[in-house]
Amino acid sequence: MSVPKAVRQRAGELHRELHEHNYRYYVLDAPVITDAEYDRLLRELQDLEVRYPELIAPDSPTQRVGAAPSKAFGEVRHEQRMLSLDNAFSDAELGDFDRRVCERLEVDAVDYAAEPKLDGLAVSLLYEHGVLTRAATRGDGVTGEDITANVRTIASIPLRLAGRGIPAILEVRGEVYISHRGFERLNLQAVKDGQKPFVNPRNAAAGSLRQLDPKVTAARPLEFYCYGVGRTEGGALPERHSEILVRLRDWHLRVYDGIERVHGLQGCQAYYRKLEAARATLPFEIDGVVFKVDRLDQQDSLGFVARAPRWAIARKFPAQEEQTRVTGIDVQVGRTGALTPVARLEPVFVGGVTVTNATLHNEDEVHRKDVRVGDTVIIRRAGDVIPEVVRVLREQRARGAPVFHLPKHCPECGSAVERVEGEAVARCSGGLFCPAQRREAIKHFASRRAMDIDGLGDKLVDQLVEQELIHDVSDLYRLEVEQIAGLERMAQKSATNLVKALEKSKATTLERFIYALGIREVGEATARILAEAFGDLDALMGADVEDLQVVHEVGPVVAQHISAFFREPHNREVIQRLRGAGLHWQAVEPGAARPLAGRTFVITGTLSMPRSELKERLQAAGARVAGSVSKQTDYVVAGAEPGSKYDKALALGIEILDEAACLALLK
Ligand code: 5U1
């Protein structure tokens, strides 16, 4: 049956529209229609293709998951070898590279294209007359595996390029990866399905690309960024690498936004520092920065050695994962009595610092990871995050290594350890009898965001408690210069300064004071809300569980903790003594300075600041920050890679703000 003209025309329109929406969604990250609308268009095209199979073209948007499972991957010979990169592990090594480049080119300085080095898998995509016809892994650089069917399932890889001047043959090279969020979701699902979670995003991406059934690959959150071209024929490209990338972007390929042209070694160092600082906030894993001589004629004259070009280098970040040995597992007691197992480690340099401890969170976590004393483990330290044990290298475990169990009695005070059913955390039942809890409570009280007592560091608190100079926070205000000056690493001047700082801290705010008390589950945001709602401390202290729950953000558990805290006679006495010592604050006017009161916000995607910080700031301005989008939502704040909340906001017609617009609103 021949295809009626109108049907062919409609199929063509749908092709174009769907490619465009795909590009907007996955490459530009700026969709203009809802998921539902996209699905409707796709279904319309599928229906047409079912009725008229002649319409099915290899680049049809319906053909992403078309291929049947195969038995093995075919081989692909790279006509232009896929090179790898030399590494520089220090500023000095980067300097050596730049010097070699300049010497060979006989110039003082060159322009470099600076790009993040994604921790994924290099792939080659062949576009013939703008249509994706083949995709291959790097393999040994000369021969790779044919992974076309799998790559077709990756939504950010266009099946057809758009725009003008596309070479008849264009081989694009880039990195397939999985974002942090994709990885989290993937592992949540794996655990739910009773499967072993993936070790890291790179392994997950590699495993996903090497699936013989493309349907499995399609279900994996793979993404792609391109970083260059290989073979090209029948069309000219610009003469600078950075301009080629712009051209690729024009043709709808996904190119990272933050790629820059920098000048000379200094430009490289500045870009490296910038990316290093931004690393923790990026939505994907990077392990360094790639610098490439920008001018292609200069690249040509530099050539390459062995498997790497002389015109490019990867300046690697300090490794975030390293291997070391667990020398012991200690148990720390926190402010609220929570027992935290901590792995003591043979010192290892990771993420730019020497690490000797890693948190094991709680007993269940130790058992889940099966960490035992003597084990060889992989440690991870990313950004400012507390180092943690990623996994144990079981094959290296000594026979008979005993399983770890939390003690039945507090290692600090001997009180019974209790674990409420359904809770992951076990706690010491000693309360303020336990010196560890007292120490931690005092450290919290003195901390910057609480009473902000300058000069009262952790080590000093340890000494003060150990030498029984203080028993609770109210004793701090009775300390005398002479007592403090006699302590280790203290002198007359530092002791005088501390007494002054204590004096200064007496003038505070109600919300800081409530936060400083260290009531379970009462963080800064809740403290602020309580101060706002009750206006003064006596009203809060007199509130029962029902009164507390009238406050919007206070649920039954938090209300119980607050009420129990103020019912405890010891706590009331300490508060009394603090007030007696002169701690004071201004009365809070309910509703003051809360321009966003009554507004509900939802945050989605990756922001340049921690999400918790924006949440705090919104709450400080009186807004409510909810976890999901509903008709009651006033604004959705969308960062990079927003999730389904973004789509829902679009569907419900809720105002969407980017981070800058939200900050402007806060001003
Ligand atoms: N960003 C980026 N990653 N990466 C990896 N660029 C880049 N270039 C590469 C590789 C292997 O190779 C070319 C310099 C040949």
Side-chain angles (χ1 to χ4, degrees):
M1 180 180 19
S2 75
V3 184
K5 196 167 155 211
V7 171
R8 194 174 286 283
Q9 240 172 14
R10 178 65 187 147
E13 271 168 26
L14 287 167
H15 262 221
R16 275 190 299 281
E17 276 187 43
L18 285 161
H19 278 309
E20 179 68 20
H21 290 309
N22 212 53
Y23 167 63
R24 284 181 167 279
Y25 188 93
Y26 290 105
V27 180
L28 297 184
D29 209 3
V32 288
I33 59 169
T34 61
D35 286 2
E37 180 63 9
Y38 181 90
D39 288 344
R40 200 187 60 69
L41 294 173
L42 189 67
R43 236 173 298 124
E44 186 183 345
L45 181 59
Q46 277 165 339
D47 288 347
L48 291 181
E49 289 179 349
V50 168
R51 273 165 50 210
Y52 304 100
E54 305 95 294
L55 288 174
I56 302 174
D59 67 326
S60 167
T62 62
Q63 295 303 297
R64 286 209 179 258
V65 202
S70 61
K71 293 212 164 46
F73 297 106
E75 267 192 7
V76 170
R77 252 191 103 71
H78 300 298
E79 288 194 26
Q80 210 179 80
R81 189 179 176 146
M82 279 186 86
L83 299 170
S84 53
L85 284 164
D86 272 342
N87 294 318
F89 292 100
S90 65
D91 287 350
E93 287 182 12
L94 182 63
D96 290 344
F97 162 78
D98 177 63
R99 192 175 30 72
R100 286 194 301 272
V101 165
C102 292
E103 277 172 9
R104 278 181 186 272
L105 294 174
E106 297 179 5
V107 293
D108 292 335
V110 294
D111 285 341
Y112 291 101
E115 314 166 3
K117 186 171 184 307
L118 268 90
D119 200 9
L121 279 107
V123 296
S124 144
L125 309 176
L126 184 67
Y127 286 92
E128 293 178 281
H129 303 283
V131 177
L132 176 70
T133 53
R134 198 203 64 199
T137 60
R138 178 177 176 282
D140 62 5
V142 178
T143 312
E145 284 178 325
D146 187 333
I147 50 165
T148 313
N150 287 347
V151 162
R152 293 173 67 84
T153 68
I154 302 174
S156 50
I157 294 182
L159 298 179
R160 170 187 282 278
L161 301 179
R164 289 199 303 201
I166 302 166
I169 302 285
L170 174 68
E171 188 200 343
V172 176
R173 289 174 177 178
E175 204 85 356
V176 168
Y177 69 96
I178 290 181
S179 69
H180 292 310
R181 216 179 58 183
F183 180 67
E184 245 169 56
R185 281 193 194 158
L186 189 62
N187 269 355
L188 274 178
Q189 192 59 44
V191 171
K192 235 191 233 169
D193 297 345
Q195 290 162 357
K196 238 178 97 186
F198 292 98
V199 170
N200 58 39
R202 188 180 189 284
N203 283 18
S208 303
L209 268 188
R210 296 204 73 263
Q211 292 292 329
L212 291 169
D213 182 354
K215 283 196 184 61
V216 178
T217 311
R220 303 282 170 84
L222 294 169
E223 296 183 43
F224 175 76
Y225 270 124
C226 58
Y227 57 66
V229 294
R231 176 181 157 218
T232 59
E233 278 172 36
L237 287 174
E239 288 168 1
R240 279 181 175 262
H241 175 74
S242 54
E243 288 166 4
I244 292 178
L245 294 181
V246 172
R247 195 64 65 82
L248 295 179
R249 185 183 287 141
D250 290 345
W251 293 332
H252 287 195
L253 283 152
R254 192 159 176 252
V255 178
Y256 180 63
D257 245 353
I259 292 178
E260 283 178 28
R261 188 193 294 174
V262 298
H263 185 66
L265 179 62
Q266 273 192 338
C268 293
Q269 309 278 34
Y271 185 89
Y272 174 81
R273 303 271 169 256
K274 189 165 83 175
L275 218 61
E276 192 181 29
R279 182 184 190 186
T281 65
L282 293 179
F284 43 72
E285 188 81 45
I286 59 173
D287 57 0
V289 176
V290 183
F291 296 108
K292 297 173 186 165
V293 171
D294 200 35
R295 272 172 46 184
L296 300 196
D297 60 327
Q298 291 183 326
Q299 287 189 2
D300 281 344
S301 56
L302 287 163
F304 56 90
V305 263
R307 308 156 115 235
R310 284 207 190 90
W311 42 265
I313 193 128
R315 168 70 169 98
K316 297 296 273 290
F317 292 134
Q320 293 193 309
E321 287 190 5
E322 282 296 349
Q323 191 171 313
T324 188
R325 216 176 61 85
V326 177
T327 55
I329 300 179
D330 288 351
V331 175
Q332 283 180 350
V333 184
R335 170 167 60 85
T336 60
L339 264 52
T340 307
V342 176
R344 303 292 174 209
L345 307 167
E346 273 175 9
V348 60
F349 191 72
V350 52
V353 297
T354 301
V355 169
T356 51
N357 306 314
T359 178
L360 293 167
H361 301 291
N362 55 54
E363 190 173 24
D364 290 352
E365 186 75 359
V366 184
H367 292 163
R368 194 178 68 74
K369 290 183 178 157
D370 192 13
V371 183
R372 305 188 194 182
V373 175
D375 275 351
T376 303
V377 292
I378 304 291
I379 297 296
R380 182 174 171 79
R381 182 188 177 272
D384 290 333
V385 179
I386 300 167
E388 61 172 355
V389 173
V390 179
R391 72 196 144 96
V392 173
L393 302 181
R394 294 267 189 95
E395 54 290 358
Q396 296 192 31
R397 172 174 292 161
R399 283 177 67 144
V403 174
F404 169 83
H405 290 291
L406 270 185
K408 300 251 179 308
H409 295 278
C410 173
E412 296 268 355
C413 70
S415 302
V417 168
E418 293 168 349
R419 183 169 164 183
V420 176
E421 214 177 292
E423 273 194 22
V425 178
R427 287 176 204 278
C428 157
S429 58
L432 290 177
F433 169 70
C434 174
Q437 291 190 46
R438 272 191 280 134
R439 257 190 338 252
E440 297 309 312
I442 296 166
K443 288 175 191 171
H444 172 77
F445 183 83
S447 63
R448 198 173 54 76
R449 292 154 88 155
M451 300 305 289
D452 194 17
I453 304 171
D454 218 19
L456 186 55
D458 290 0
K459 293 255 157 60
L460 191 53
V461 173
D462 289 345
Q463 286 192 71
L464 289 167
V465 174
E466 226 163 77
Q467 307 211 3
E468 302 200 351
L469 292 173
I470 56 174
H471 294 92
D472 62 53
V473 293
S474 69
D475 296 333
L476 284 170
Y477 294 95
R478 287 207 292 253
L479 282 172
E480 286 172 11
V481 172
E482 298 315 319
Q483 290 175 300
I484 306 167
L487 296 172
E488 228 174 81
R489 283 191 292 179
M490 293 302 285
Q492 196 71 20
K493 186 158 191 297
S494 45
T496 310
N497 286 344
L498 179 58
V499 170
K500 277 191 196 150
L502 280 160
E503 196 54 37
K504 187 169 158 222
S505 73
K506 288 182 183 172
T508 185
T509 62
L510 178 57
E511 63 185 66
R512 270 181 182 267
F513 183 75
I514 296 171
Y515 173 62
L517 291 174
I519 306 166
R520 261 178 77 186
E521 307 278 343
V522 176
E524 281 176 281
T526 309
R528 188 177 304 130
I529 289 160
L530 291 170
E532 269 287 324
F534 290 91
D536 79 8
L537 188 64
D538 294 316
L540 176 63
M541 287 174 74
D544 61 20
V545 170
E546 281 76 40
D547 300 331
L548 287 161
Q549 283 191 74
V550 171
V551 181
H552 198 80
E553 273 81 1
V554 177
V557 175
V558 180
Q560 274 296 347
H561 289 317
I562 299 169
S563 161
F565 183 90
F566 288 120
R567 262 187 284 128
E568 169 63 51
H570 171 81
N571 291 338
R572 297 181 82 94
E573 282 161 27
V574 170
I575 292 170
Q576 178 83 22
R577 286 202 291 271
L578 286 170
R579 284 169 134 177
L583 265 73
H584 62 280
W585 48 83
Q586 296 230 310
V588 179
E589 245 182 78
R594 288 164 65 86
L596 299 180
R599 300 295 162 103
T600 301
F601 284 69
V602 172
I603 307 173
T604 177
T606 309
L607 307 167
S608 70
M609 66 176 88
R611 208 183 261 203
S612 57
E613 189 181 323
L614 184 64
K615 186 173 170 186
E616 290 261 334
R617 289 173 67 173
L618 287 166
Q619 285 174 335
R624 206 171 85 80
V625 181
S628 57
V629 177
S630 71
K631 282 192 194 128
Q632 272 69 47
T633 309
D634 295 294
Y635 299 101
V636 168
V637 184
E641 291 199 25
S644 58
K645 292 173 195 167
Y646 182 94
D647 303 328
K648 192 154 180 204
L650 273 181
L652 292 175
I654 289 162
E655 188 165 343
I656 296 174
L657 306 173
D658 63 14
E659 192 178 334
C662 179
L663 293 178
L665 205 62
L666 277 167
K667 269 191 193 153

